[in-house]
Amino acid sequence: ASKLAPALAALARFKSTSSSATSLKQRVEQLIPEKNAEVKEVKQKYGDRVLGETTVNMAYGGMRGIKGMIWDTSLLDADEGIRFRGLSIPEVQQQLPKPKGATETTPEALFWLLLTGEIPTAAQAQSITDELNSRASLPQFVIDLIDRCPSTLHPMSQLSLAVNALQHDSQFAKAYHAGINRKDYWDPVFEDSLDLLAKLPLVASRIYRNVFKDGKHGSVDASVDYSQNFANLLGFAENAEFADLMRLYLVIHSDHEGGNVSAHTTHLVGSALSDPYLSFAAGLNGLAGPLHGLANQEVLRWIIKMQEEIGTDTPTEDQIREYCWATLNSGRVVPGYGHAVLRKTDPRYMAQREFAQKNLPEDNLFKTVSALYKVVPGVLTEHGKTKNPWPNVDAHSGVLLRHYGLVEQDFYTVLFGVSRAFGVLSQLIWDRALGFSIERPKSLTTESIRAMFEKK
């Protein structure tokens, strides 16, 4: 077990909220003075302490491993994986409330946890569902904008375009222009964040139906939860398992510390007091990059290509081992394996594996993924060039989506984007509530680094 486990567990209040607050917004408002006092105390006590050293290799290597930002909603441990406000993924699955008839918890319940550190009651989770459903509509000009996009424009570009357009109605932008007190910044940021979350399934499904289907669109059902509505809007209303997959997918992809590209970008742009729409759109543009959000479709394409080249959709472990070596010997990587921080199997992978074992155990693609899980770590260990030979979240998600008929791989990153909104917007609200500064790290030139060490 990780040495951090006790401290991580202490971050969450392992009981349902006992506060008199009747809404999430009221609860956040109650917590702000407490959290500000905590930050003030930490800065007073430890403000001059050193968090860690920074090496030249870190500066050239994407700042990997540098401890230099605050992200309270989640913490990634190399041995345990992600914890949301102190709770592991299995604990989130077990302790957060589920809708009636569902087997998975909801992103709405997770949103309450991320913002408050408290496990919501079923009624509190439902209040977020109701709030989001009440805000789920799009301005006509945004509908027209999406509908005018050529089907050849990548779905992620369309999503970013639409989120930027929704900025037209930003409450924070209007409040800032009117001279709002900086102590109250969090309030319109909270409102913008809920508005944006509510509208994302409508935007994403409209893009999906326009690009890949018949261009016909549904409407939000106020009686069901966020993930069921998203499944309905995409065209999977009749499949209860797909709705549960959406719940699982949206929860486990929501937050993964603050240093990844989409989270850091949202935080960085938000630090300039750009509103949630502009900040999240910037994060989406980072998520669209091949090294970040496109990994799950690359995994699926690699597996399908392997099956085609071997000539069977049920390759043996020996055939898989041989194909993996051929991939590595050609200078490529086996996609879906390894992680910048994790040093064990990603718990997000395990959550998806357990879902597959329960719902699609005879699916041939899942059988191949299971065989890869047996084979690849040994091959990568023998190869000797990876610190972590275990699968990450991307090694599984595409297989699940494909099983239920969502086969359009260019749309997978859009689903990731909808999910990631819950995490990054939770932290963005707290960024403004705690008065975080504009981000401005110090950069160096290669020549200045050379001079720094050569003159000694």
Side-chain angles (χ1 to χ4, degrees):
S2 168
K3 294 178 182 178
L4 288 174
L8 291 171
L11 291 174
R13 307 159 203 259
F14 292 106
K15 60 182 185 298
S16 294
T17 310
S18 58
S19 161
S20 60
T22 57
S23 71
L24 177 59
K25 187 174 184 179
Q26 287 176 322
R27 185 60 188 139
V28 170
E29 189 170 16
Q30 289 175 346
L31 289 170
I32 288 172
E34 176 185 321
K35 187 65 177 176
N36 268 304
E38 181 187 7
V39 170
K40 183 178 180 180
E41 180 187 13
V42 169
K43 289 170 69 176
Q44 285 177 340
K45 284 184 175 180
Y46 312 115
D48 294 329
R49 298 288 181 90
V50 175
L51 291 173
E53 67 175 4
T54 302
T55 66
V56 172
N57 281 339
M58 284 177 167
Y60 280 106
M63 299 193 291
R64 183 163 295 180
I66 292 176
K67 299 178 180 73
M69 66 183 296
I70 302 300
W71 194 271
D72 281 328
T73 52
S74 65
L75 187 63
L76 180 58
D77 179 73
D79 297 315
E80 288 198 334
I82 195 66
R83 281 182 176 266
F84 301 125
R85 290 286 186 177
L87 292 178
S88 67
I89 284 177
E91 288 168 339
V92 165
Q93 291 178 295
Q94 292 161 12
Q95 297 185 39
L96 268 61
K98 303 174 179 66
K100 186 177 180 180
T103 63
E104 301 288 342
T105 189
T106 64
E108 299 97 296
L110 183 75
F111 191 60
W112 187 291
L113 173 69
L114 292 177
L115 272 174
T116 68
E118 299 166 344
I119 296 169
T121 63
Q124 288 166 337
Q126 182 62 45
S127 73
I128 305 301
T129 298
D130 294 340
E131 186 71 35
L132 294 176
N133 284 343
S134 73
R135 298 172 184 239
S137 62
L138 296 178
Q140 187 59 47
F141 85 92
V142 175
I143 291 173
D144 294 341
L145 185 67
I146 298 170
D147 289 350
R148 288 197 193 106
C149 288
S151 61
T152 51
L153 182 62
H154 195 283
M156 281 299 287
S157 299
Q158 295 191 41
L159 179 60
S160 175
L161 184 70
V163 170
N164 272 303
L166 287 168
Q167 193 270 346
H168 178 274
D169 296 326
S170 169
Q171 295 188 46
F172 177 80
K174 291 179 174 65
Y176 186 83
H177 183 73
I180 186 174
N181 189 303
R182 67 191 307 270
K183 291 182 179 179
D184 297 323
Y185 284 170
W186 75 272
D187 187 314
V189 168
F190 180 97
E191 295 297 332
D192 277 356
S193 296
L194 262 68
D195 282 342
L196 178 51
L197 287 169
K199 298 175 192 313
L200 283 174
L202 288 166
V203 171
S205 63
R206 193 166 200 92
I207 294 167
Y208 180 73
R209 301 297 303 179
N210 284 354
V211 174
F212 302 111
K213 300 298 179 181
D214 56 10
K216 295 179 180 178
H217 307 286
S219 56
V220 167
D221 180 351
S223 69
V224 300
D225 65 288
Y226 190 91
S227 303
Q228 182 67 67
N229 262 317
F230 195 16
N232 295 352
L233 291 165
L234 290 169
F236 296 87
E238 305 305 317
N239 196 318
E241 282 183 16
F242 184 83
D244 259 333
L245 174 60
M246 281 294 95
R247 294 182 186 103
L248 175 65
Y249 186 100
L250 294 177
V251 165
I252 67 175
H253 287 82
S254 61
D255 207 28
H256 217 234
E257 277 194 348
N260 64 76
V261 169
S262 55
H264 189 192
T265 303
T266 304
H267 171 83
L268 168 65
V269 175
S271 79
L273 297 186
S274 299
D275 60 66
Y277 298 95
L278 298 177
S279 303
F280 182 60
L284 286 174
N285 290 338
L287 188 66
L291 295 184
H292 188 16
L294 298 189
N296 59 359
Q297 64 193 62
E298 290 180 352
V299 171
L300 188 57
R301 286 169 180 163
W302 183 86
I303 294 174
I304 293 170
K305 184 179 179 182
M306 176 182 71
Q307 290 177 331
E308 291 173 350
E309 292 189 6
I310 293 174
T312 175
D313 59 1
T314 55
T316 66
E317 291 182 18
D318 286 340
Q319 288 173 318
I320 289 172
R321 186 174 293 104
E322 183 179 341
Y323 192 83
C324 287
W325 276 113
T327 297
L328 294 169
N329 290 334
S330 68
R332 294 171 292 154
V333 299
V334 177
Y337 282 75
H339 191 273
V341 178
L342 279 170
R343 294 297 175 261
K344 62 172 284 188
T345 298
D346 192 333
R348 299 174 299 171
Y349 173 93
M350 293 306 298
Q352 293 178 103
R353 177 171 172 78
E354 289 164 9
F355 184 93
Q357 288 172 324
K358 181 171 63 176
N359 294 297
L360 46 134
E362 298 305 314
D363 181 280
N364 282 335
L365 207 55
F366 170 58
K367 288 180 178 179
T368 299
V369 167
S370 294
L372 284 163
Y373 186 36
K374 293 179 182 178
V375 171
V376 175
V379 170
L380 293 178
T381 299
E382 185 179 345
H383 189 244
K385 292 186 179 180
T386 178
K387 293 179 181 178
N388 171 26
W390 304 105
N392 58 49
V393 66
D394 299 309
H396 217 307
S397 53
V399 172
L400 295 176
L401 295 168
R402 184 180 177 88
H403 172 82
Y404 290 104
L406 208 164
V407 299
E408 297 85 3
Q409 296 168 22
D410 280 346
F411 189 73
Y412 290 177
T413 314
V414 173
L415 296 177
F416 196 163
V418 174
S419 171
R420 187 48 56 94
F422 284 89
V424 300
L425 294 176
S426 296
Q427 183 59 47
L428 193 65
I429 291 166
W430 276 109
D431 289 349
R432 300 290 76 78
L434 298 174
F436 283 176
S437 301
I438 188 170
E439 188 172 307
R440 197 353 180 142
K442 172 64 178 168
S443 63
L444 300 168
T445 64
T446 297
E447 188 56 40
S448 70
I449 291 174
R450 184 188 296 277
M452 189 184 303
F453 297 107
E454 290 183 353
K455 69 183 180 182
K456 291 185 177 180

